[in-house]
């Protein structure tokens, strides 16, 4: 068995924690310091792909669809969005940790097939919340996979994204009939209720780690 080797560490802006990138042969893992479970593993991305596949399938009939992915991670959700989008679509991606972007240009680049080199990508280094706060009717779909579910894990401020105020901002940032898609390791009835209270029409789907096997994760598809 090849041992894990730490190949990168990155301080999370505004937090005392860091992201730790490890490698074992061709497999990569990202953990948050202090957590035993992984934030991301390069071998397990069926549900990260599904987040984009589900969300993009609902907006593909639009003219020049424009979507926002937060965050970049290992690039799987971004790559799946690019696969689904037409040649004139646009995929914005927001990533809080600058080193994650460097890793995606370096050792992680091949994991999801070099999505950052696609001309349709608009990369924003920073908090996805800042883009949501600043946007009005800008996106056909917003896909959030920044924590392990609708509770802050990577950064304490991420709580806002799942709050009533955050959901109102997401609603405003979406074009009419737009989709807010949120990834979670598990279901969360209170979050479903908050989405409905914010005025979204909510559908819950599940997606597995790998085709036909592995854990089932939850994806909320919330339409305004
Ligand atoms: C679970 S990973 C995303 C995995 C991604 N869906 C993929 O397919 O590889 C979470 C990512 O979101 C980033 N992140 C966390 N909070 C963020 C925020 N508020 N704004 C932008 N990116 C954020 C983390 O640094 C990390 O890279």
């Amino acid at each position: 068995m090849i041992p894990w080797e730490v190949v990168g560490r990155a301080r999370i802006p505004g937090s005392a924690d860091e992201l730790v990138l490890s490698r074992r042969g061709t497999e990569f893992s990202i953990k948050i310091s202090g957590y035993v479970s992984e934030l991301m593993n390069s071998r397990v991305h069926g549900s990260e792909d599904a987040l984009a596949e589900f969300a993009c399938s609902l907006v593909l009939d639009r003219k020049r669809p424009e979507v926002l992915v937060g965050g970049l991670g290992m690039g799987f959700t971004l790559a799946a969005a690019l696969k689904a989008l037409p040649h004139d679509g646009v995929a914005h991606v927001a990533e809080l940790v600058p080193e994650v972007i460097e890793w995606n240009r370096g050792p992680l680049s091949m994991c999801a097939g070099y999505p950052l080199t696609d001309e349709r990508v608009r990369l924003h280094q920073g908090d996805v919340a800042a883009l949501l706060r600043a946007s009005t009717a800008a996106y056909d779909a917003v896909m959030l996979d920044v924590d392990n579910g609708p509770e802050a894990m990577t950064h304490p401020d991420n709580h806002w994204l799942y709050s009533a105020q955050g959901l109102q901002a997401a609603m405003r940032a979406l074009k009419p009939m737009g989709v807010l898609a949120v990834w979670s390791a598990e279901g969360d009835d209170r979050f479903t209720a908050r989405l409905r209270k914010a005025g979204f029409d909510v559908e819950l789907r599940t997606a597995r780690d790998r085709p036909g096997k592995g854990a089932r994760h939850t994806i909320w598809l919330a339409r305004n």
Side-chain angles (χ1 to χ4, degrees), residues 12 19 30 39-40 45 48-49 51 69-79 94-97 100 104 112 124 126-129 144-148 154-155 157-158 161 183:
I12 301 171
L19 293 184
I30 297 179
L39 185 65
M40 219 27 241
H45 54 88
E48 287 80 358
D49 299 347
L51 175 66
V69 177
L72 177 60
M74 294 185 176
F76 291 110
T77 302
L78 175 63
E95 173 52 53
L96 185 64
V97 182
V100 169
N104 273 269
H124 306 263
D127 192 336
V128 68
L144 291 182
D145 178 17
V146 293
D147 296 298
N148 239 0
T154 321
H155 194 287
D157 290 353
N158 281 357
L161 290 168
W183 186 98

Side-chain angles (χ1 to χ4, degrees), residues 24-166:
R24 179 170 71 178
T26 55
E27 181 183 5
F28 289 91
S29 157
I30 297 179
K31 285 185 178 177
I32 302 175
S33 52
Y35 284 85
V36 177
S37 58
E38 292 176 314
L39 185 65
M40 219 27 241
N41 181 293
S42 60
R43 289 204 179 156
V44 183
H45 54 88
S47 60
E48 287 80 358
D49 299 347
L51 175 66
E53 289 160 5
F54 292 163
C56 291
S57 70
L58 297 173
V59 300
L60 285 181
D61 55 343
R62 317 278 174 89
K63 201 174 155 201
R64 199 174 171 265
E66 197 155 340
V67 303
L68 169 63
V69 177
L72 177 60
M74 294 185 176
F76 291 110
T77 302
L78 175 63
L82 292 167
K83 194 170 169 197
L85 287 174
H87 67 93
D88 61 349
V90 174
H92 298 264
V93 58
E95 173 52 53
L96 185 64
V97 182
E99 289 87 345
V100 169
I101 296 171
E102 280 173 32
W103 298 341
N104 273 269
R105 290 188 170 129
L108 292 179
S109 59
M110 76 278 277
C111 290
Y114 310 95
L116 288 182
T117 61
D118 193 302
E119 287 180 353
R120 295 169 294 168
V121 172
R122 308 284 180 271
L123 177 62
H124 306 263
Q125 195 269 298
D127 192 336
V128 68
L131 287 185
L132 293 176
R133 283 193 176 98
S135 308
T136 304
Y139 308 109
D140 295 287
V142 172
M143 295 156 245
L144 291 182
D145 178 17
V146 293
D147 296 298
N148 239 0
E151 270 185 30
M153 179 175 164
T154 321
H155 194 287
D157 290 353
N158 281 357
H159 268 305
W160 179 84
L161 290 168
Y162 317 111
S163 69
Q165 292 87 343

Side-chain angles (χ1 to χ4, degrees), residues 2-14:
I2 306 171
W4 282 105
E5 177 197 357
V6 173
V7 291
R9 287 182 182 275
R11 182 76 182 274
I12 301 171

